Amino acid sequence: MGIQKRTRKFAQVKRIIGQKDARLKKNQEKTAVEAKKKSKGDELVREIPQVSSALFFQYNTALVPPYNVLVDTSFISHTVHRKLELLSTMMDCLYAKCIPIITGCVMAELEKLGPKYRIALQIARDERWQRLECSHAGIYADDCLCDRIMKNKIYIVATNDRELKRRIRKVNGVPIMSVARGKYVIERLPDAPEK
């Protein structure tokens, strides 16, 4: 009989609620917040991005001669390395008049590269090319060029940078010009001659 009394007293001890118990107020608030997050994730997005009116399927009707060509740092340096004339080789590639455009970011990037790229910098400073001043902070040219082609698709982008090419290919209707084997080649321009 003595053993039975001891076990009853043990069972009568007050039980303490654990810190992770769902009945506590702070845990109820946490579960409510998590439920809201899950419900937001389940909602369908019914907003479709506006497609440019200049695009006819993949064909960009806004690209007409004279072509506006946004020039990148890598394109100028490869042009110098292959000893090509910038404007005449562009016109040979496109069979039309071209307007090379150099942004402030590209100029700043060339200046930052130092004396090794001084010839490329001299070519970029030429009076014949059109200049676009950048209003944003920083001098990262890739972001600047991508931002410009997203806003208006009236440019051909001249670059030899792989990462920039990959980013541009995601944007429909923007052709890419690059230096290859002593000449310029263009991709994604429907009127372009075969290689």
Side-chain angles (χ1 to χ4, degrees):
M1 181 104 181
I3 295 172
Q4 199 173 19
K5 275 189 176 178
R6 281 186 206 156
T7 52
R8 271 192 211 149
K9 282 184 182 176
F10 179 75
Q12 291 173 355
V13 174
K14 280 192 177 177
R15 295 211 175 145
I16 300 172
I17 296 176
Q19 291 293 320
K20 295 181 180 180
D21 198 314
R23 295 174 286 181
L24 288 175
K25 237 182 201 181
K26 65 178 183 180
N27 293 336
Q28 287 175 350
E29 291 170 359
K30 283 181 186 176
T31 53
V33 169
E34 288 174 9
K36 283 182 184 177
K37 284 181 183 177
K38 284 182 182 177
S39 66
K40 282 182 184 177
D42 294 340
E43 291 177 8
L44 291 173
V45 177
R46 300 211 183 260
E47 187 177 315
I48 299 170
Q50 186 68 33
V51 179
S52 174
S53 61
L55 287 178
F56 178 72
F57 295 108
Q58 293 284 324
Y59 183 75
N60 190 352
T61 56
L63 283 172
V64 291
Y67 294 112
N68 294 318
V69 183
L70 280 175
V71 182
D72 185 35
T73 312
S74 62
F75 187 80
I76 297 173
S77 65
H78 277 79
T79 300
V80 169
H81 182 72
R82 302 263 192 251
K83 297 177 181 157
L84 298 170
E85 185 68 33
L86 187 71
L87 188 61
S88 61
T89 318
M90 261 186 204
M91 291 172 86
D92 290 344
C93 177
L94 295 170
Y95 295 133
K97 187 179 180 203
C98 303
I99 303 167
I101 299 171
I102 297 175
T103 62
C105 290
V106 172
M107 286 297 290
E109 206 171 81
L110 277 169
E111 288 168 0
K112 206 165 119 180
L113 288 172
K116 189 178 177 184
Y117 293 89
R118 69 181 183 280
I119 298 168
L121 185 60
Q122 286 175 350
I123 290 170
R125 283 185 177 150
D126 197 333
E127 300 285 324
R128 295 177 287 174
W129 323 142
Q130 186 178 336
R131 291 280 165 75
L132 281 179
E133 290 304 316
C134 300
S135 58
H136 56 83
I139 55 166
Y140 189 56
D142 292 5
D143 288 340
C144 177
L145 295 175
C146 283
D147 189 45
R148 285 197 189 275
I149 62 169
M150 292 289 248
K151 285 180 182 170
N152 37 7
K153 295 178 168 94
I154 58 168
Y155 300 112
I156 295 172
V157 181
T159 184
N160 268 48
D161 186 11
R162 281 186 183 160
E163 285 299 315
L164 182 58
K165 280 184 182 180
R166 194 172 294 135
R167 285 173 68 179
I168 293 168
R169 283 186 189 115
K170 291 177 184 173
V171 182
N172 289 334
V174 180
I176 303 167
M177 185 185 284
S178 58
V179 181
R181 297 195 194 117
K183 63 179 181 176
Y184 293 167
V185 292
I186 192 152
E187 60 181 76
R188 293 172 50 178
L189 186 68
D191 299 338
E194 292 299 315
K195 294 179 185 175

